[in-house]
């Protein structure tokens, strides 16, 4: 892994010890479940939607006003996380690894001289081992496929987790059983599909027996068989259902009746795989309406967006920056996926309240921004609540009280 630069370790190797209550390290389990096309499609459906999330470095000021900061973090999130990936590709790979392994690790790379953030990489280790030193600090030891291994402070790694429950460090139940329930379902699904394939193949196999009367040599048997095949071919070409045969041969038909799995059973097994990844049938087949997508977003995409925001904020920002109101937020322009009627209704309401600018409204409709389009318009039908009484009586209340 060329993205790591070894640093001088503080203390000796003996000062590290594997955390006693985690006897089995985390071992990614993804290679086993990706053999299923259903799994790959489910991961693509979730990862492709998460990759549309916009990562922003913001600061929340007085009154909850959000302003986007100009920083190296903002540039990497918005334009180029690392030299190999676009923001979409970075998020797609990170979420794919999370869904495959119930864990995803992102490594921030800093310039050694300026300590400026220069890149962020999703890691794909084969083993991750938790370590604790004598001071109680936590580290992760990453083993990679090329044989290299690195020890990194846990605070320097952005760690995403799924099914986070019994293990303090890692998502999933344990390293060896992380996908036991899913693999069981996948094996059943694979057996059912093989049963369908074998049933189809059996229907193409031997259909009958040609009995040749009398004692014949092997050469004569083959000659009789060739004559039968030629007669069969001639009847097929002539669209005839009759095959002429002489008295020396008898044909006995074999009835092959393969049994196929019913559609309901197949649908039930597939639904269990879809449920595991939080993907509905409509999302899986890319035939969803606005309501179905909103349900998918709120149940599957939004929890991941929240975890991304929290993990990246803690991993890339200092405590002082967090205390000053700085955050990393991953958000989605959900109105992009709404129906035309919903979009128009939202624009009319939000523009009237002065919440949305002209260009923001045009972006929702898929239109290009226009010059001076960042201005906000507001309906005169709304009034400041504190001045509602004055507005109602024509502003004379104060004059009467003073008179």
């Amino acid at each position: 892994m060329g993205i790591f630069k070894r640093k001088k370790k503080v203390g000796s190797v003996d000062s590290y010890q594997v955390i006693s209550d985690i006897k089995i390290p985390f071992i990614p389990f993804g290679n086993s479940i990706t053999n299923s096309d259903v799994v790959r499609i489910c991961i693509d459906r979730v990862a492709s939607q998460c990759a549309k999330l916009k990562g922003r470095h913001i600061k929340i000021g007085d009154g909850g006003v959000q302003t986007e900061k100009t920083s190296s973090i903002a540039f990497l999130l918005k334009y180029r996380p690392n030299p190999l990936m676009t923001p979409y590709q970075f998020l797609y790979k990170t979420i794919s690894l999370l869904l495959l392994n119930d864990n995803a690790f992102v490594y921030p790379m800093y310039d050694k001289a300026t300590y400026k953030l220069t890149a962020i990489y999703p890691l794909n280790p084969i083993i991750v081992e938790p370590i604790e030193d004598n001071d109680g600090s936590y580290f992760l030891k990453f083993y990679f496929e090329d044989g290299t291994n690195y020890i990194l402070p846990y605070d320097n790694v952005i760690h995403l987790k799924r099914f986070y429950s019994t293990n303090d460090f890692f998502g999933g139940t344990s390293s060896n059983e992380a996908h036991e329930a899913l693999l069981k379902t996948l094996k059943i699904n694979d057996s059912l599909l093989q049963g369908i394939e074998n049933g189809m193949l059996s229907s193409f196999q031997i259909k009958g027996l040609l009995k040749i009367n009398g004692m014949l040599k092997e050469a004569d048997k083959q000659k009789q068989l060739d004559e039968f095949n030629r007669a069969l071919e001639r009847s097929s070409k002539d669209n005839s259902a009759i095959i002429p045969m002489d008295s020396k041969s008898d044909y006995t038909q074999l009835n092959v009746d393969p049994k196929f799995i019913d559609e309901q059973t197949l649908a039930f097994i597939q639904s269990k795989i879809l449920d595991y990844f939080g993907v509905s049938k409509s999302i899986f087949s890319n035939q969803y309406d606005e309501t179905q997508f909103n349900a998918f977003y709120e149940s599957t995409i939004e929890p991941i967006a929240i975890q991304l925001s929290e993990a990246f904020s803690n991993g890339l920002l200092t405590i002082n920056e967090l205390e000053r109101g700085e955050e990393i937020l991953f958000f989605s322009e959900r109105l992009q996926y709404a129906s035309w009627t919903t979009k128009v209704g939202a624009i009319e309401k939000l523009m009237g309240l002065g919440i949305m600018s002209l260009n923001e409204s045009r972006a929702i409709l898929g239109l290009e921004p226009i010059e001076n389009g960042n201005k906000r318009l507001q309906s005169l039908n709304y009034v400041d609540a504190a001045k509602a009484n004055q507005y109602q009586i024509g502003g004379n209340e104060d004059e009467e009280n003073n008179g």
Side-chain angles (χ1 to χ4, degrees):
M1 294 291 291
I3 64 174
F4 294 102
K5 296 181 180 178
R6 292 186 180 273
K7 297 181 179 179
K8 186 177 179 181
K9 296 185 179 69
V10 179
S12 65
V13 177
D14 295 335
S15 65
Y16 296 104
Q17 60 181 5
V18 177
I19 298 175
S20 59
D21 60 345
I22 305 178
K23 297 180 180 179
I24 304 176
F26 163 70
I27 302 175
F29 216 49
N31 291 335
S32 299
I33 65 174
T34 51
N35 293 329
S36 166
D37 60 336
V38 179
V39 169
R40 289 199 299 270
I41 294 172
C42 286
I43 291 175
D44 176 74
R45 296 295 182 263
V46 178
S48 60
Q49 292 298 333
C50 288
K52 297 177 183 179
L53 296 170
K54 309 295 183 183
R56 296 292 184 264
H57 181 194
I58 67 164
K59 181 175 182 179
I60 302 177
D62 296 336
V65 178
Q66 295 183 5
T67 56
E68 187 172 354
K69 291 185 64 66
T70 302
S71 63
S72 58
I73 297 176
F75 177 83
L76 294 176
L77 292 174
K78 199 170 184 179
Y79 298 109
R80 196 180 72 162
N82 60 68
L84 303 177
M85 303 174 193
T86 65
Y88 181 95
Q89 294 166 343
F90 169 79
L91 283 175
Y92 186 98
K93 182 170 184 178
T94 301
I95 301 307
S96 295
L97 291 172
L98 174 63
L99 297 175
L100 279 173
N101 304 314
D102 292 336
N103 293 268
F105 304 93
V106 176
Y107 173 68
M109 179 185 292
Y110 294 89
D111 185 270
K112 293 176 65 175
T114 64
Y115 297 103
K116 180 181 177 181
L117 184 66
T118 58
I120 43 179
Y121 288 91
L123 304 181
N124 190 17
I126 57 173
I127 298 176
V128 183
E129 186 177 45
I131 294 174
E132 181 180 10
D133 68 4
N134 292 334
D135 295 330
S137 299
Y138 297 124
F139 298 81
L140 292 178
K141 188 172 185 179
F142 293 91
Y143 297 84
F144 294 95
E145 198 168 2
D146 60 1
T148 58
N149 63 83
Y150 300 88
I151 297 177
L152 299 175
Y154 189 68
D155 289 343
N156 289 8
V157 178
I158 299 171
H159 186 186
L160 304 174
K161 307 170 188 178
R162 189 167 181 257
F163 297 130
Y164 182 51
S165 57
T166 58
N167 193 307
D168 288 338
F169 266 83
F170 302 120
T173 52
S174 72
S175 58
N176 292 331
E177 301 175 358
H179 291 90
E180 183 179 357
L182 177 61
L183 278 175
K184 191 173 183 180
T185 304
L186 289 175
K187 288 177 181 178
I188 295 174
N189 186 63
D190 184 61
S191 298
L192 293 177
L193 293 176
Q194 288 187 39
I196 294 175
E197 180 182 5
N198 292 334
M200 294 177 62
L201 291 175
S202 67
S203 65
F204 300 143
Q205 292 174 356
I206 299 174
K207 292 295 187 179
L209 296 175
L210 181 65
K211 180 181 178 182
I212 303 173
N213 300 318
M215 301 293 292
L216 298 177
K217 297 179 181 179
E218 288 298 325
D220 294 331
K221 290 181 182 179
Q222 186 62 45
K223 183 178 179 181
Q224 289 286 334
L225 180 60
D226 292 341
E227 289 180 0
F228 179 78
N229 287 334
R230 284 194 293 270
L232 185 61
E233 289 176 0
R234 284 195 300 271
S235 65
S236 298
K237 290 179 181 179
D238 298 337
N239 294 323
S240 173
I242 299 175
I243 302 174
M245 298 177 61
D246 56 25
S247 59
K248 294 184 295 183
S249 302
D250 294 325
Y251 176 74
T252 303
Q253 182 177 350
L254 296 178
N255 294 320
V256 180
D257 185 21
K259 302 297 182 183
F260 293 99
I261 307 300
D262 62 276
E263 185 178 351
Q264 285 185 331
T265 302
L266 287 173
F268 172 74
I269 296 298
Q270 181 169 302
S271 69
K272 288 177 65 66
I273 302 173
L274 269 58
D275 291 342
Y276 185 88
F277 291 101
V279 176
S280 65
K281 185 177 179 181
S282 59
I283 297 295
F284 181 83
S285 59
N286 272 336
Q287 296 177 335
Y288 51 84
D289 57 26
E290 182 181 347
T291 302
Q292 292 166 333
F293 178 81
N294 284 335
F296 171 62
Y297 179 89
E298 292 176 3
S299 61
T300 303
I301 305 301
E302 190 172 35
I304 295 176
I306 293 172
Q307 186 179 179
L308 282 170
S309 300
E310 294 175 347
F312 274 71
S313 294
N314 289 325
L316 299 180
L317 300 177
T318 64
I319 294 178
N320 287 336
E321 288 171 330
L322 292 171
E323 289 177 343
R324 291 198 302 265
E326 295 188 25
E327 291 184 31
I328 307 295
L329 284 185
F330 287 84
F331 64 93
S332 172
E333 298 170 354
R334 290 181 61 187
L335 281 175
Q336 294 286 357
Y337 316 112
S339 66
W340 181 266
T341 303
T342 301
K343 289 179 180 179
V344 172
I347 289 172
E348 289 178 348
K349 179 64 71 174
L350 296 176
M351 283 194 68
L353 293 171
I355 296 175
M356 185 177 291
S357 68
L358 291 173
N359 280 340
E360 288 171 334
S361 302
R362 292 176 62 86
I364 291 176
L365 299 176
L367 303 175
E368 293 291 329
I370 59 174
E371 189 177 355
N372 299 322
N374 291 326
K375 64 176 62 174
R376 300 177 186 274
L377 305 179
Q378 184 168 345
S379 172
L380 294 177
N381 293 327
Y382 300 97
V383 65
D384 189 336
K387 299 179 180 180
N389 288 336
Q390 298 178 27
Y391 178 81
Q392 230 176 0
I393 63 176
N396 294 324
E397 184 177 7
D398 291 337
E399 296 178 7
E400 294 177 1
N401 291 335
N402 294 330

